Amino acid sequence: AHVGVVVSDLDGLAGRLRAAGARLRSDGPVPITAGSYQGWRALYALDPDGTSVELFERPAGGKEAGDG
């Protein structure tokens, strides 16, 4: 299980997390290429207890996931 949070500046947040020593599961945000979140970007980080936190950024002018 994990928590997912929509954010508005995924690149900036990734940099701040890296600078704070957070554990990230990729080098940076990755594009989502299929499914209801296609076109969004995501980044997984681990909280201090090791729980995955998925950070999402919708595409500019993008719809909510599942809006077709």
Side-chain angles (χ1 to χ4, degrees), residues 9 18 30 36 40 50 58 60 66-67:
D9 180 13
R18 242 185 249 102
V30 295
S36 60
W40 290 49
R58 70 176 46 91
D67 280 353

Side-chain angles (χ1 to χ4, degrees), residues 3 22-23 45-53:
V3 175
R23 294 182 294 162
L46 298 174
D47 77 4
D49 294 320
T51 303
S52 290
V53 178

Side-chain angles (χ1 to χ4, degrees), residues 9-61:
D9 180 13
L10 193 53
D11 292 310
L13 181 56
R16 291 191 302 277
L17 287 169
R18 242 185 249 102
R23 294 182 294 162
L24 303 179
R25 298 187 68 175
S26 64
D27 291 333
V30 295
I32 300 173
T33 59
S36 60
Y37 287 93
Q38 184 174 356
W40 290 49
R41 296 187 318 144
L43 176 70
Y44 278 93
L46 298 174
D47 77 4
D49 294 320
T51 303
S52 290
V53 178
E54 187 172 15
L55 305 165
F56 289 104
E57 181 182 65
R58 70 176 46 91

